[in-house]
Amino acid sequence: MLPLGLLTAAQGNPILVELKSGETINGHLVNCDTYMNLTLKEVVTTSADGKHFFRLSETYIRGNNIKFLRVPDETIDRAKDQQQNEIIQPTAKSGRRRLVEDQNLRDKDTLALYGVLRRTATLGVTKLVEELVELLIKDRREKPSESPELYHALIEANANHEHGSAGRVVTLLEEMQREGLEPSDRTCDAILKVLAVHPDYVLRAAVLEHLRVLWADLPADAHRNVVVGMLRDRQYEMALDRLDSMQSAGIRVEPWLWDMAIYVLCEADEIDEALALLKKRDALAELSYEPSVWAYVLDTASRAFHYNATLYVWRKRVEPGYLNPASGLCLNVLCTAARAGDPVLATDVFRVLGNRATVFEHQHYEMLIDTYLATDDVKTAISILSVMEGAKMAPDAATTRNLFKHLRADASRPHAALAVLQSLHEAGKPVPVAAVNVVLEALVHLMDLAGALDVYKTLHTLCARGPTVATFNALLRGCSSDASEADADEPLDADAADQDLTSDKKATAMFLAAEMRALAVAPDAVTYDRLILVCLRAPDCEDALRYYAEMRSRGWLPRPGTFAAVVKRLARDADFERAAEVLAQARDAGLELARTERWLEQVLWRRRRRDEAAAAAAEAGAGAEGEGRLAGFVRERLGARALGRGM
């Protein structure tokens, strides 16, 4: 038996529903629709951990939140028998008997048939209603023009989600008009019931206008049907206005209608409106709570990073212990708290996760750090790094990226951060080397190399593990100029290169390299790259070339900008052969240094012109001839490129 058919036939019977969140709901099935959205009464809800129970008079459950259903065996047997008796056959061509014959209705008197017709129309058994109307007209000689009850039954039967439609209702209304019949307020209520299942904005507006002309008051059920139809027609503002008018008029808004409106608004990403509706529902103390509604709002709001809705549900349901959200949902809430800069909410999320023995990962701590940084609480953010170190989850450069951005924004912040690290060490708490490194990086970024070196001197005291390669790379970056970090295709100007680095900076870099050797800290590609850049600014660039050769022997390549700086320095020293060789190696490695190649061509051309002029003045061409041989060698190295373009 299909689930939808079972639910339709099992209305009024007990049922157990388990939600995807782990909650279980026991109650009596009142209604279901084609999307398996359920309405239950006399409900008992059990939390996912089995520790909390809630008794509700009525609840509404979205079909997409259901994990599985359970009904008693006798209910299934009864549902099978009921479906065999009530199932609607499409046509008589199949050879099956008509429903009126199956139920022995031909022998009933006309008054009894009208009673069956009204009950059948209310249940939405479309085929049986049509057969009963046909029986009353053909066999009992009932005239539709004198019996509006026939039209009313045909209209109301269209509330069937599978066989009814708003188009059929329009056809019946047109037929009534031809017969000179006006739909009564009761028939209008039936139309609104149909439109709650098959939305039609134009027809609904016409019916409401007709009722206004008749000065007819809508019953409570009709008001609810109007709201449901508007929600399904995505007329959210009109549906909310109608709910407000119902409350103003003292008409009870059923809990399932509140829940349905909240679900639909969340599904449409109208979270502000859903929050406003949730607050109104929460303010009505006589209404029972539905845990799945709160969980759905929390899930939708946190996934959309909607801080106000997330905070409201968390404080109302999670903090008191009524709702136990899943770990994935908690992670969404943590992201929302980090974006909004709410450390209280973020810390409480950690409390909930910790109570279920969650193994925290880097992402959890990083979001918590971001939350405290958003409130300018550097002390707590750094303390979290210490907690990570103590939990054997050492933070790395990725963990401290946002902390670096925060520290570099103000020259006083790195020193304040260092003071926090020192206080943690004095309190006997572990200080991660990544926390010291981020202070070094911030000072280097602020062009305070001396301050960064002072921090390095204290690192051995603060961190038992000592410095890492990231520590030395940060300091070496401070030993090189801003120009060394230029783009790959932007070679440095020859005039500026002589002044970029002082001998003190090279001495500092050599000291750091010696420290790495003494502490057995293995260098990486970035280390060699920055040592090359530092040594290129020294009067003698042989150290740079030595580091370059050692780097290549390890299978590493300098960055494109470093390749360009090496070529430029060799050209300045008139070592064009090695400049061309390095440039060819870069090209063989797949790097395109087109601007550097053009720059080298121009240098060679200018030098040749200068030598030719000098040779002409001295009436000797040997220099020019020698330079011509050099240009030919460079041209050969660059792949027969026309270095003498324009000569």
Side-chain angles (χ1 to χ4, degrees), residues 559-579:
R559 292 173 298 170
T562 305
F563 263 119
V566 172
V567 171
K568 184 171 183 181
R569 176 56 195 269
L570 290 172
R572 285 180 56 237
D573 291 347
D575 193 349
F576 295 105
E577 292 185 15
R578 282 202 288 185

Side-chain angles (χ1 to χ4, degrees), residues 404-561:
F404 168 67
K405 294 177 182 178
H406 183 82
L407 296 180
R408 74 182 184 185
D410 191 309
S412 63
R413 289 178 179 176
H415 300 286
L418 178 61
V420 173
L421 294 174
Q422 290 171 336
S423 64
L424 287 173
H425 174 70
E426 292 170 359
K429 296 181 180 179
V431 176
V433 67
V436 182
N437 288 346
V438 76
V439 176
L440 288 173
E441 287 184 84
L443 289 169
V444 168
H445 180 84
L446 294 168
M447 308 301 290
D448 186 2
L449 179 59
L453 290 171
D454 290 338
V455 173
Y456 170 72
K457 293 173 184 177
T458 65
L459 184 146
H460 301 274
T461 304
L462 296 175
C463 305
R465 294 171 55 189
T468 63
V469 66
T471 309
F472 292 104
N473 288 343
L475 292 169
L476 288 172
R477 185 177 185 273
C479 294
S480 59
S481 65
D482 292 338
S484 66
E485 304 296 331
D487 196 356
D489 243 6
E490 297 286 350
L492 301 173
D493 294 337
D495 294 337
D498 293 332
Q499 305 171 359
D500 279 341
L501 189 65
T502 64
S503 58
D504 289 341
K505 287 189 175 181
K506 182 181 178 183
T508 301
M510 294 301 99
F511 162 75
L512 294 172
E515 284 277 287
M516 293 183 71
R517 287 192 296 271
L519 296 172
V521 177
D524 58 13
V526 176
T527 310
Y528 279 105
D529 195 288
R530 289 179 175 168
L531 282 170
I532 291 170
L533 291 171
V534 171
C535 294
L536 283 176
R537 270 70 183 181
D540 183 2
C541 68
E542 288 303 318
D543 286 337
L545 297 176
R546 180 171 56 81
Y547 283 124
Y548 170 76
E550 189 175 339
M551 183 180 190
R552 292 300 307 274
S553 68
R554 289 174 177 258
W556 294 327
L557 284 175
R559 292 173 298 170

Side-chain angles (χ1 to χ4, degrees), residues 55-75:
R55 187 175 297 277
L56 311 171
S57 60
E58 189 174 52
T59 188
Y60 176 81
I61 305 173
R62 294 280 290 182
N64 58 5
N65 287 331
I66 297 175
K67 184 177 180 181
F68 73 84
L69 305 163
R70 180 184 298 167
V71 296
D73 293 339
E74 58 269 21
T75 302

Side-chain angles (χ1 to χ4, degrees), residues 15-215:
I15 187 172
L16 180 145
V17 182
E18 180 171 337
L19 305 181
K20 294 177 182 177
S21 63
E23 297 172 280
T24 56
I25 300 175
N26 286 276
H28 286 76
L29 181 63
V30 176
N31 190 24
C32 72
D33 61 18
T34 185
Y35 300 103
M36 288 184 65
N37 300 321
L38 310 180
T39 303
L40 277 66
K41 66 179 181 179
E42 302 172 4
V43 176
V44 175
T45 299
T46 307
S47 63
D49 56 9
K51 296 180 179 179
H52 301 284
F53 301 89
F54 311 92
R55 187 175 297 277
L56 311 171
S57 60
E58 189 174 52
T59 188
Y60 176 81
I61 305 173
R62 294 280 290 182
N64 58 5
N65 287 331
I66 297 175
K67 184 177 180 181
F68 73 84
L69 305 163
R70 180 184 298 167
V71 296
D73 293 339
E74 58 269 21
T75 302
I76 297 177
D77 296 336
R78 186 167 59 252
K80 288 180 179 178
D81 296 338
Q82 183 179 350
Q83 285 190 335
Q84 289 176 356
N85 293 331
E86 296 184 0
I87 188 167
I88 302 172
Q89 304 299 331
T91 61
K93 294 182 181 179
S94 61
R96 295 180 181 272
R97 298 173 60 191
R98 293 164 62 87
L99 295 176
V100 291
E101 295 172 353
D102 288 342
Q103 301 188 20
N104 299 319
L105 297 176
R106 289 189 180 276
D107 299 333
K108 294 183 179 290
D109 58 54
T110 301
L111 186 61
L113 285 178
Y114 269 107
V116 174
L117 179 65
R118 283 191 290 271
R119 292 193 300 273
T120 307
T122 303
L123 294 174
V125 188
T126 311
K127 186 63 178 177
L128 183 55
V129 169
E130 292 174 351
E131 291 183 8
L132 285 170
V133 170
E134 182 182 358
L135 176 64
L136 286 168
I137 293 175
K138 290 184 177 180
D139 293 2
R140 306 303 168 89
R141 305 299 180 185
E142 293 291 312
K143 296 181 180 180
S145 58
E146 297 176 359
S147 181
E149 184 70 24
L150 299 177
Y151 284 107
H152 175 87
L154 288 170
I155 288 173
E156 188 174 16
N158 279 280
N160 184 291
H161 66 274
E162 186 175 358
H163 299 281
S165 73
R168 287 186 183 183
V169 174
V170 172
T171 302
L172 290 169
L173 289 174
E174 291 173 348
E175 189 175 331
M176 289 180 66
Q177 189 175 16
R178 289 194 296 270
E179 295 288 345
L181 297 175
E182 284 288 330
S184 64
D185 53 351
R186 181 167 164 266
T187 302
C188 289
D189 294 345
I191 297 172
L192 294 175
K193 178 182 177 181
V194 174
L195 296 181
V197 181
H198 308 286
D200 186 317
Y201 167 73
V202 176
L203 182 55
R204 186 189 306 109
V207 171
L208 293 175
E209 177 61 21
H210 180 72
L211 290 171
R212 188 186 65 81
V213 172
L214 293 178
W215 291 83

